[in-house]
Amino acid sequence: MPTENLSDKRMSKFKNKGKEPTKMRDRRIAECVELRKAHKVEGIMKRRNISSVGDEEPLSPEYNTDNKQVFVISEAIQEIVANVNNECPEKQRQGCQAARKLLSRERNPPLKEIVEAGLLTRFVEFLGRNDDPTLQFEAAWSLTNVASGTSWHTQQVVEHGAVPAFIALLASPMLNISEQAVWALGNIAGDGPSYRDALIDCGVIPALLARLTPDAPVGYLRNLTWTLSNLCRNKNPFPRFSAVQQMLPSIIQLLHHSDKSILSDACWAISYLTDGPNERIDVVIKTGVLPRLVELLGFEELAVVTPALRSIGNIVSGSDLQTQAAIDAGVLSALPLLMRHPKSSVQKEAAWAVSNIAAGPCQQIQQLITCGLLAPLVDLLRNGDFKTQREAVWAVTNYTSGGTVDQVVHLVKCGALEAILNLLQAKDAKTVLVILDAINNIFLAAEKLGEVDKLCLLVEEVGGLDRIEFLQNHENNAVYRAAQALIEKYFSEDGDDQCLTTEATDSNFVFGASDVQKRFDF
Amino acid sequence: MTSTSFHLPIMELNDGNLQTLTEYLQKTLSPDPAVRRPAEKFLESVEGNQNYPILLLTLLEKSQDEVIRVCAAVTFKNYIKRNWRIVEDEPNKISDPDRTAIKANIVNLMLTSPEQIQKQLSDAISILGREDFPQKWPDLLTEMVNRFQSGDFHIINGVLRTAHSLFKRYRHEFKSNELWSEIKLVLDTFAQPLTELFKATIDLCQTHATDVNALKVLFSSLTLISKLFYSLNFQDLPEFFEDNMETWMTHFHNLLTLDNKLLQTEDEEEAGLLELLKSQICDNAALYAQKYDEEFQPYLPRFVTAIWNLLVTTGQEVKYDLLVSNAIQFLASVCERPHYKHLFEDQNVLTSICEKVIVPNMEFRSADEEAFEDNAEEYIIRDLEGSDIDTRRRAACDLVRGLCKFFEGPVTGIFSGYVSSMLTEYAKNPGVNWKHKDAAIYLVTSLASKAQTQKHGITQANELVNLCEFFVNHILVDLKSPSVNEFPVLKADAIKYVMTFRSQLPKEQLLEAVPLLVAHLQAESIVQHTYAAHALERLFTMRGANNATLITPAEMAPFTEQLLNNLFKALAIPGSSENEYMMKAIMRSFSLLQEAIVPYIPTLIGQLTHKLLLVSKNPSKPHFNHYLFESLCLSIRITCKANRDTVGSFEEALFPVFTEILQNDVQEFVPYVFQVMSLLLEIHTSSIPSSYMALFPHLLQPVLWERTGNIPPLVRLLQAYLEKGATTIASTAADKIPGLLGVFQKLIASKANDHQGFYLLNSIVEHMPPDSITQYRKQIFILLFQRLQSSKTTKFVKSFMVFINLYCVKYGAIALQEIFDDIQPKMFGMVVEKIIIPEVQKVSGQVEKKICAVGITKILTECPAMMDTEYTKLWTPLLQALIGLFELPEDDSIPDDEHFIDIEDTPGYQTAFSQLAFAGKKEHDPIGDAVNNPKILLAQSLHKLSTACPGRVPSMLSTSLPAEALQFLQGYLQAATVQLV
């Protein structure tokens, strides 16, 4: 997920001016443990088909009581096994359909039970039954839903040999069957990098792209776009360049579609492709997609804005040139609105993008000023939710570390200092440390202007001194040391240290050079 | 585990060894060091043996003697603390079998031990855990979780306490994959059982609602569980807790609103179980509100209401302080967030918060009254210096500020009503209702203060509050009251009001207050007279037009005598004999009044000296002492400015005390004494008095120079010696010159102090008769070159350039060139090329630049080697550098790796450092009027040079000096009305 490990990512960027870029990338790609729930607005990894087809009665609500349900299900599965293994096509269709219905229930579909009943072998076999499209369809649907489960479920489907069968089905003249195959393959690709690459090895990309025609119905295209996005997804490793090159033109084309759901998934695809080292970002920028992405930032639908913004955020975390390309495409005029977006998740991502732009050279920082991003940034520092504030704090620290003295002064005048001082109360050690870093940067600028005393007063006036002093009791060593260093350097007197030594007696020092120097050379 | 743990000697696990160990443990408890020490030594000598920790554990479990069991537990914990960590490249101090055995048994042992031992073992487990958990102690968590089933809350609380000590670091460590993997693992095993335990414990509270003892145990479990909740939720909102938010928040909310008569404590000071639990729940709610706002939103309004109700129903006792301030802080942090603004918007809500939460918590409590009377110092620190982070008043103030963010108008309106009703109450019966007025003043202050600093008081005030009117109607009355000692709290409030709003009140009102404040210096109450002194001190520092003091000595004239009298009399009041505010006010009064104090000095100096003698016996109040010395300096400066001859009488008064301080080596005072002596010595006009010369050899003692605080004042004192007594030193103390140079050598060896070394060296070169140092000159330069070679920092290079140019001015350019080239051939050229030309732009300070300009001019025009040897190629570049020094802005760039060398203490020609502000001396220009305009000097010198060798100078200029520089140079020549030939 692109937002993971942000701080490390930024830290490396922030600190790496002049350091090896490869090291920085290692950190960016580093895996990260998450405690949170996977986020709701993220692109969906796997989906189950639970749409009900017109001619069917909905499942009766009295399945609710647990014991009864288990009992009923095991009975139902026994019946399915019997039917599916029957030689009679009618029975097979019946069994397959019953399985599909069970697997399409809203709640607690018996994925595991179906697998354990050994039904997958037969279902995969049925995929090849070109003579019986209904059976093919029901089997494809059932397998799609099994593959939508956990990794273990997906693995069962793959190990039963479903991949080549599904790829073959893509070419089916029956649109609903082909669509179901697209869907199933999407679930398999979404499982992770190894199945994704396995699919690519089996030639899934040309087979999919062949179905991307102007007359394809929107519903079909939605599935197709989603599956393509899953083929772009996941790192460690990334999908190989040749595969990306194959898919990109079609994805760019989809990015101009009018359907919001297609746009959303196409944007997610772009966001996956840009979530990587600079070479990856370059491939995407070269397609000329940036102006369109910026345009999409202005859409109303959250489902479009979120991945578009994520993509932009990824791009501006790249090299200075790549960031400049995004700026040239007009991203800075789109960001202020997003920073004031009603959804805090959008504010956060926008602040993240700003923080990365602020990590650039002072010319880019100047553009932040010119395009009026400081006022909304300070608003976010004051009123954003915590995650947004954290990103905004990074923006301030990056800005103050790379900005010129005048730029830093300007930021302070916009109210950023007071806002970050308030955030010293944040319950997150890293954020506090990053703020202390920013304060230190601001003091360095004040030193150059000879206005340290004035800054000291300002910090004290808004209650910042109290907070910094309080942090000298912080449990985290780095935090308390940083606070102490600030206090010692700017709010009190100081000590010093020694290098060489001079001989001494009780009454005085012994004057005279100890050794005859060989040769002086300065 | 490392493989270095093989050869530990083994102690058998037998009764004999247990017996021996028991005996030694017993002895470690002996009050007699002759018995105790050898026993401790013995234990240390055997702790490296295998089985030693197992023997200790056996004893703490099985010994018949309760004392020995506890002693073994403490010894065990300390042993673990010292030895458990495996340090890379050091031997493993505990054998692997012992480690395994300890980990296998300790949890069980901890849980089954009595409380005293349990605590020790729990500490030991957290030390083990910090090192081994989770990788090397995989089953710890499951073992703990299994105990939740035991149903025995003694055991459960032991587990919870241990868990707390293991998990609390999640609250302050940085996010890292390692940390988060650990938290994830903990969540996977622990979160569900903890939740079950939480629910079960709450159910049990219902079941045992009437059983006090059971409830006590259950509530301490709940508090621990709530703390664990805080730790586990700190880094990020875990999926599990998001899914179970309903359960936790519902219960937390219920617990907040719960009151159980059985759990109420009699104690007024110590927080009870209910308070501790609720206070932790407030923290938990505040955590969620701050960090997980989106997810917590649905629950927040409920918590706001519950916490506010809690505040309304909680009493004034000290035991509730933490709870109340946590609860108020929660409201304060929520009310300033835009999307919760609506929760507070309603006029009734606002009124109710103001009335029931803010006002009551601003009231002066009996605990405050006690502190005011009996512990004035602490009261002042809390009230004046703001070390009141956790107090109710502070929290209430924060809430007022938070509410003012969106509701300044309504809040001010509501409070104005309160203020007048409280004042009316007070007016009805001041004797009984004086606290109402105190609260009213506090309320006005907190409402009006928007920004504040120590230096200026309130710098931004709420425009809706009329501060002047309040001053006239309610503050002046108390200040004017004829009975100074009546209602001391209100008097202190009134004084504080003047101090706080000094920048807001018009000058006439401040002038009206001054004599009243002077009168309050006589109050018996320490807080009251201290505040009066502080207020006066602050008023005297205020600046008016033209940066002059706002209050002038003329305006103070009618009160001068009274002021000085009262200030010194207050130092005699018990409890204020070393009152730093009083002494600071004395200093500030001297500084303000200047010559007006001269008539009083003969009396006052005696009092100050007497004070100094007293405090030098045992210096305990650094600020008081500092201001005492500042006051002495002011007395000297002001008096001697009027009449230099009085310096002798100061020396007479002070030297006996100074001698005592130096003889007894009162470390805190020695640097001050040197500074005052410098000041005195500098006032002398003729030669150096013999009393100073007697001290001279002692000033060179290395032991004095080892203390960094002595260095700047000692250097300054030696400079004064050189200025006034260089010839005396040369004639009567020539044998001390090497020692003096030794000090210089010592100082330039240090990156931090090298500039001090140059101050000294510059004074030596400037003042010592040349003959007296001839023999040392070469050594001096060799030392400087050695330092330049080993660490060429910007600060050193700057000082070095000033010095060599000063030397050049003093001894001539030829002398400089010859001594360099004598040390090493071509040395002079190297210094000019590698140091002066590229770096001279960095020299800062008027005097410093002048010295360099004059020195370089001499090198250019009075040094034949520059014209006639291979140095000639440096001539034009050096001239260009000199013109750059005149015309270009100063180069203040510092190489990156030097940013941390003593940034504040940038070198100047003079001793910039001075601890005592009023002992500072004026900038000294060693060239003085000899050269007024270095540019003219350059022009004239070049002219002279060109007439000596016609044609050469113009040709050198025309071939290689850039046009721009040439243009500047022509300007100088024109101004000097000379021409080059």
Side-chain angles (χ1 to χ4, degrees), chain B residues 172-187:
Chain B
H172 57 79
E173 295 219 343
F174 293 141
K175 172 180 180 174
S176 69
N177 271 345
E178 200 192 357
L179 180 73
W180 283 37
S181 311
E182 179 182 324
I183 297 177
K184 210 174 165 63
L185 182 88
V186 170
L187 287 166

Side-chain angles (χ1 to χ4, degrees), chain B residues 130-198:
Chain B
R130 190 64 205 87
E131 299 299 319
D132 288 15
F133 179 76
Q135 267 80 27
K136 294 190 208 161
W137 205 354
D139 42 358
L140 174 63
L141 271 187
T142 25
E143 192 179 352
M144 287 174 33
V145 167
N146 288 340
R147 306 291 174 154
F148 285 165
Q149 321 291 322
S150 70
D152 177 344
F153 273 80
H154 173 71
I155 289 179
I156 289 171
N157 281 350
V159 173
L160 292 172
R161 213 170 287 126
T162 307
H164 178 51
S165 67
L166 285 174
F167 304 157
K168 68 177 176 223
R169 70 187 184 100
Y170 306 158
R171 300 171 178 199
H172 57 79
E173 295 219 343
F174 293 141
K175 172 180 180 174
S176 69
N177 271 345
E178 200 192 357
L179 180 73
W180 283 37
S181 311
E182 179 182 324
I183 297 177
K184 210 174 165 63
L185 182 88
V186 170
L187 287 166
D188 287 347
T189 8
F190 207 79
Q192 182 66 47
L194 186 72
T195 309
E196 295 310 323
L197 180 68
F198 184 48

Side-chain angles (χ1 to χ4, degrees), chain A residues 5 7 31-37 40 343-344 382-387 389 425-430 433 447 457 460-461 466 470 474-476 478-479 488-489 492 494-502 504-513 515 517 519-522, chain B residues 172-174 177 180-181 183-184 187 230 234 236-239 242-243 287 290-292 294-295 337-338 389 394 405 451-454 456 459 700-702 705 708 738-739 741-743 745-746 749-750 752-753 776 779-780 782-783 785-786 788-789 824 827 830 834 902 904:
Chain A
N5 211 8
S7 52
E31 288 221 36
C32 189
V33 186
E34 270 299 328
L35 301 177
R36 280 241 176 198
K37 242 185 210 299
K40 300 132 207 164
K343 284 294 280 188
S344 60
R382 290 193 186 125
N383 298 326
D385 80 341
F386 178 69
K387 280 170 286 182
Q389 287 175 327
Q425 303 179 78
K427 294 179 202 301
D428 177 59
K430 188 84 200 179
L433 189 67
E447 259 177 18
L457 274 186
E460 187 183 351
E461 234 179 33
D466 272 2
F470 194 62
H474 202 278
E475 295 256 20
N476 185 298
V479 170
E488 274 176 10
K489 192 164 164 201
S492 63
D494 212 349
D496 46 18
D497 70 323
Q498 299 273 354
C499 65
L500 307 166
T501 52
T502 305
T505 67
D506 279 350
S507 59
N508 48 32
F509 291 105
V510 180
F511 173 65
D515 278 310
Q517 185 91 15
R519 227 197 114 70
F520 295 110
D521 185 17
F522 313 122
Chain B
H172 57 79
E173 295 219 343
F174 293 141
N177 271 345
W180 283 37
S181 311
I183 297 177
K184 210 174 165 63
L187 287 166
Y230 192 81
F234 194 89
D236 203 349
L237 175 58
E239 179 164 9
E242 187 176 344
D243 289 341
L287 176 73
Q290 188 190 89
K291 296 184 87 167
Y292 318 124
E294 198 180 339
E295 294 82 359
R337 303 194 69 89
I389 300 275
R394 170 70 172 249
K405 185 170 171 187
Q452 182 167 20
T453 72
Q454 288 286 328
H456 303 289
T459 52
L700 307 176
Q701 284 174 13
W705 295 90
T708 46
L741 291 166
V743 170
Q745 181 178 346
K746 165 85 180 162
S750 144
N753 296 323
Y776 308 111
Q779 277 295 331
I780 291 172
I782 290 176
L783 285 167
F785 292 146
Q786 281 178 345
L788 204 52
Q789 182 92 330
Q824 180 180 303
M827 175 69 106
M830 180 162 70
K834 300 278 178 57
D902 230 25
E904 276 139 304

